[in-house]
Amino acid sequence: MFTRSICLLALSLPLVLAGGASTALIERAGPNLKALLSEPGRKWCPGTQVFFPGQKDYASLTTQRWTVYEAPSYLAAIKPACVGDVQKVVKLCAELKIPFLPTGGGHGYSTSFGKLKNGLSLDLGAFKQVSVDKAAQTVTIGGAATFGDVFDPLYAAGLEIPTGSCTCVGFLGGTLGGGVGRYQGIHGLIIDNLLSLRMVTAGGKLITVSAAENADLFWGMRGAGFNYGVVVDATYKVHPLTNGGEVQVVDLIFTREQNETFFKTLASLSGTLPPELALLTYVDYNATYNGTVAILDVSYPGPKDKFLELVKPFIDLKPAYTEFQTIPWNRLLRQLGFQLNDLVCIKEQQHSMYSVGTKNLSSPDYISAFAKYDQMFADYPETRLSTLEIEIFPTQAVVAVPHDSTAYPWRDIEGQVMIQMSFTGGPTSAAANAANKVAQELRTAFSMTSGYDQLEIYVSYAHGDEDPASWYGKDKLPRLIELKKIWDPKNIFRYDNPLPDSYP
């Protein structure tokens, strides 16, 4: 869940740092990283780059994290220019016991990443290719390409693929946990469209993983893939544009006084959505309305008259603001939701994320959550960039895929409740503590009425403090752990909501 050179490691040349960076910068990295990165005998590919914190433009030349809350810390970053160098880095880190983290889009926000201290960032920023085969109806996507990178090449070919909800999230990172999104009712999860991937294993070997090759690992990669290796690229099946690529959308704003009737209407639609209709609700602070509002964005790649019929229950509530649009599929993420995408994608902010997967849509919980956010915004203005996001996506094509066919455990989730806390100040500030307290209370409340007998969380939305069974499912964990013993027995891939050593 990723750029220009300031230094070059050539075939057999010593390490060169641009801008006259001093040897002291290398020494900060410690003897292991210094040896790893500067030994001439490594023979890195031309174009492979290495960076150290403190160098000029370090932040702009390496992939930075979306959130700095509970973030990993690095003494160096290496950006391989070829797959062979990815293999070398993995081998050397395993041999020297150097903690490292593959970085694609940099959007992962689990607090488990923060357990990596003084390590190495394996920056996949050079692997951003998007190669469309129109005749075969496939696309091959590099390890650092984002959802936003994929839309235009596919749209130009008259094709589409399910994606997540923000342009800045890495496509492969968004795939490995499952891949929920607006088009899942039509095409299934992103993993349901995955044909194969090329990955570097814990032993540094480059392998292909698919239904025909390493099939058991292919099962595990679709739902828990970040536990097993570094994916350098993946190939997916793609589909002709639904409705010719034309999408009907509407954005609505409901004020504080309207929130109860809105949430009751929203919950009444449980289980009734056609496969093309996707609903996203945001509770946030809106300066124009001087208070907390509920925003609804609705998308539907189908006829306009049918769309107007589907959204009529919300229009009849007389929202404070209404904006209808007809937009092409490749502009969907950027134009929907009052163009909030650009704001949401700003990096290096404090974000603390909690979530709950629900089978029931509970209007009392939504109304209570609105009130808690409203009070938090009043008491702690530093939290006013926080959002409660409720993703209600159809499940028809998702549940059509057999439960046992992939490692992804939660195919019948109807609502993804994302409790996104953002605040200024440090991670232990009064605002941060208050926001996390509200988030934990809401996670507990939503889980009690979720319709499940345990906490079920889409692993890519996890906070990182939950039981791994809530990420991977009690029935899937034993097989995933056995795969881990085969493919990563030394547990070098252990920072992204990791698998336990045993279960139960």
Side-chain angles (χ1 to χ4, degrees):
M1 227 191 64
F2 50 149
T3 196
R4 310 283 186 267
S5 167
I6 63 171
C7 58
L8 173 67
L9 287 171
L11 278 172
S12 58
L13 295 177
L15 183 65
V16 178
L17 299 178
S22 69
T23 304
L25 288 172
I26 301 177
E27 295 298 336
R28 284 187 206 169
N32 285 346
L33 284 183
K34 179 181 178 181
L36 169 67
L37 299 175
S38 62
E39 183 178 322
R42 297 299 177 197
K43 296 185 178 180
W44 304 105
C45 291
T48 290
Q49 304 163 40
V50 65
F51 309 90
F52 296 94
Q55 287 181 233
K56 183 181 178 181
D57 298 327
Y58 172 83
S60 64
L61 295 169
T62 59
T63 301
Q64 298 300 298
R65 287 177 56 77
W66 175 66
T67 176
V68 295
Y69 182 79
E70 295 287 341
S73 64
Y74 300 119
L75 295 177
I78 186 165
K79 186 179 290 186
C82 64
V83 173
D85 281 358
V86 176
Q87 294 176 260
K88 289 180 182 180
V89 171
V90 172
K91 287 179 182 178
L92 289 168
C93 286
E95 291 170 2
L96 297 175
K97 298 183 179 179
I98 295 170
F100 75 104
L101 186 67
T103 303
H107 206 82
Y109 43 69
S110 173
T111 56
S112 65
F113 291 113
K115 295 180 181 179
L116 189 157
K117 301 297 183 186
N118 299 325
L120 174 67
S121 172
L122 174 50
D123 191 329
L124 299 175
F127 297 87
K128 291 181 68 71
Q129 72 275 17
V130 178
S131 302
V132 180
D133 187 328
K134 184 174 181 179
Q137 293 194 352
T138 63
V139 61
T140 299
I141 300 172
T146 64
F147 288 134
D149 294 328
V150 172
F151 278 91
D152 287 346
L154 282 176
Y155 184 77
L159 299 167
E160 70 186 20
I161 191 171
T163 74
S165 299
C166 297
T167 59
C168 49
V169 176
F171 202 105
L172 270 63
T175 298
L176 298 179
V180 303
R182 288 180 173 88
Y183 276 48
Q184 68 177 46
I186 307 170
H187 302 307
L189 302 170
I190 299 177
I191 57 169
D192 300 330
N193 297 269
L194 179 63
L195 297 174
S196 66
L197 42 82
R198 291 196 309 152
M199 62 179 283
V200 176
T201 68
K205 184 179 180 181
L206 179 66
I207 63 171
T208 297
V209 181
S210 68
E213 298 180 73
N214 301 299
D216 205 31
L217 181 58
F218 188 53
W219 175 88
M221 293 298 293
R222 290 173 294 162
F226 19 75
N227 287 284
Y228 300 107
V230 183
V231 180
V232 294
D233 58 53
T235 299
Y236 304 80
K237 63 182 177 182
V238 291
H239 312 271
L241 289 165
T242 303
N243 196 45
E246 188 175 87
V247 187
Q248 312 298 333
V249 302
V250 65
D251 291 311
L252 310 168
I253 296 178
F254 297 91
T255 63
R256 179 189 291 111
E257 294 73 23
Q258 296 174 303
N259 92 87
E260 292 193 17
T261 54
F262 163 67
F263 282 122
K264 288 176 181 177
T265 302
L266 183 69
S268 72
L269 299 179
S270 180
T272 68
L273 300 187
E276 302 87 2
L277 190 71
L279 309 174
L280 273 76
T281 294
Y282 307 89
V283 173
D284 59 19
Y285 183 85
N286 188 295
T288 301
Y289 294 91
N290 193 31
T292 309
V293 300
I295 296 174
L296 174 67
D297 75 51
V298 187
S299 62
Y300 180 74
K304 187 172 183 178
D305 57 347
K306 180 62 176 176
F307 177 61
L308 293 174
E309 177 186 329
L310 290 168
V311 300
K312 186 176 185 298
F314 298 109
I315 302 301
D316 288 347
L317 298 178
K318 297 185 176 7
Y321 184 87
T322 302
E323 181 179 352
F324 281 98
Q325 298 180 77
T326 299
I327 59 178
W329 173 77
N330 63 323
R331 300 299 301 169
L332 180 61
L333 298 191
R334 296 190 184 277
Q335 290 185 222
L336 192 56
F338 300 107
Q339 301 178 5
L340 287 174
N341 176 80
D342 292 343
L343 178 63
V344 170
C345 283
I346 296 174
K347 291 195 173 189
E348 298 187 82
Q349 306 294 310
Q350 296 272 1
H351 298 283
S352 179
M353 174 87 156
Y354 297 77
S355 74
V356 180
T358 67
K359 185 161 51 177
N360 298 330
L361 304 184
S362 171
S363 59
D365 285 337
Y366 298 153
I367 294 166
S368 175
F370 186 100
K372 283 183 178 290
Y373 267 76
D374 193 39
Q375 190 63 54
M376 181 182 71
F377 292 151
D379 294 343
Y380 297 94
E382 309 97 310
T383 67
R384 288 181 178 176
L385 290 178
S386 300
T387 300
L388 175 71
E389 180 176 345
I390 305 163
E391 298 180 337
I392 303 175
F393 299 140
T395 61
Q396 289 90 330
V398 179
V399 298
V401 176
H403 174 75
D404 293 334
S405 64
T406 70
Y408 182 76
W410 313 129
R411 289 187 172 272
D412 62 345
I413 285 179
E414 184 167 348
Q416 302 281 358
V417 179
M418 303 165 66
I419 308 159
Q420 304 181 40
M421 295 303 183
S422 185
F423 36 81
T424 56
T428 60
S429 66
N433 291 336
N436 280 317
K437 183 175 184 292
V438 169
Q440 291 161 9
E441 291 171 352
L442 290 177
R443 181 174 63 178
T444 298
F446 277 109
S447 67
M448 294 293 289
T449 60
S450 67
Y452 298 112
D453 60 4
Q454 68 173 50
L455 185 61
E456 298 194 1
I457 297 174
Y458 174 38
V459 64
S460 295
Y461 291 171
H463 184 73
D465 63 340
E466 306 91 348
D467 185 325
S470 69
W471 309 330
Y472 299 117
K474 295 177 181 178
D475 61 328
K476 310 272 186 169
L477 269 175
R479 184 175 174 184
L480 289 170
I481 291 168
E482 289 305 308
L483 282 172
K484 183 73 169 179
K485 292 176 182 177
I486 295 170
W487 291 99
D488 183 18
K490 295 182 180 179
N491 197 25
I492 66 172
F493 300 108
R494 61 181 182 274
Y495 296 108
D496 189 347
N497 296 325
L499 291 165
D501 294 332
S502 61
Y503 188 84

